[in-house]
Amino acid sequence: NMKEFTENAAHEMQTPVAVVLSKLELLLQDDNLKDEQVQSILQSTTALRHLSKLNEGLLLLAKIENNQYETTEEINLVEITKRYLHLFDEFIKEKELIIRTNFDDQFTIKLHPVLAGSLIANLLGNAIKYNYNGGTIEITVSKNNFHIGNTSMLDPIPADKLFTKMNSSKDKQESSNGLGLAIVKKIVDGNNLHIIYHGQNGQHSFDIRKS
């Protein structure tokens, strides 16, 4: 009942949040606004976008927990990774990150396309978000192992907080909704995969392995 309630609540929140965002964006087009009014509206839109991302994450978690994604399709994580490297290219260039890839083999798994996209988007997104300017991201793929590692100024994530819902990093970035790794763990656990985290000396990495 709680899973069903979470899904319904998250779904019902989408429309009013979208309506408020659109109204605020219309207000920003008013040339008569004072600077402090513009700043207040911008802060409000930022908070609402964060709420919208949080809502999307909760809805995805609820759907995963309710087994709404059938895993009938063979997915190649190399192809998904290449797609998201292209989609995140602007953010990668902005932080002047060095990307090293080794795609010598294909990591294929039966996984719903939505979940495969979410898995890679969260892992790669974190590697970019919590990296520093001029840092590196390394992605190595073999038949049974998918490895993504990145440099970071942040301390290693404690084991008891690693995949906890709503756990955010110490830097309190507004773009973080604290659900990314919880979603990753749900996807992995529900699809015969294992995930291992390692953090040491400014290096953070995740390895996804087949059972």
Side-chain angles (χ1 to χ4, degrees), residues 99-165:
I99 309 296
R100 300 191 181 106
T101 60
N102 186 343
F103 297 146
D104 284 345
D105 213 330
Q106 307 295 316
F107 188 100
T108 57
I109 185 72
K110 278 192 175 182
L111 191 62
H112 192 282
V114 170
L115 299 186
S118 181
L119 179 67
I120 299 303
N122 277 301
L123 290 175
L124 182 57
N126 280 352
I128 296 170
K129 184 189 305 178
Y130 300 120
N131 219 317
Y132 49 76
N133 288 352
T136 61
I137 295 176
E138 182 176 315
I139 306 172
T140 304
V141 180
S142 64
K143 185 176 181 180
N144 295 307
N145 191 76
F146 180 95
H147 170 89
I148 179 167
N150 63 278
T151 51
S152 178
M153 298 295 290
L154 297 179
D155 294 332
I157 307 171
D160 61 336
K161 295 182 179 179
L162 183 55
F163 299 113
T164 305
K165 296 177 185 178

Side-chain angles (χ1 to χ4, degrees), residues 66-128:
N66 288 333
N67 300 314
Q68 293 186 25
Y69 293 103
E70 294 184 10
T71 56
T72 58
E73 187 175 343
E74 283 282 345
I75 294 291
N76 181 358
L77 289 191
V78 170
E79 295 304 318
I80 303 294
T81 302
K82 289 179 179 178
R83 184 202 312 165
Y84 276 94
L85 281 171
H86 177 71
L87 289 173
F88 291 157
D89 184 60
E90 183 178 341
F91 303 105
I92 292 169
K93 288 180 178 177
E94 182 180 344
K95 298 188 80 168
E96 300 179 338
L97 299 175
I98 300 168
I99 309 296
R100 300 191 181 106
T101 60
N102 186 343
F103 297 146
D104 284 345
D105 213 330
Q106 307 295 316
F107 188 100
T108 57
I109 185 72
K110 278 192 175 182
L111 191 62
H112 192 282
V114 170
L115 299 186
S118 181
L119 179 67
I120 299 303
N122 277 301
L123 290 175
L124 182 57
N126 280 352
I128 296 170

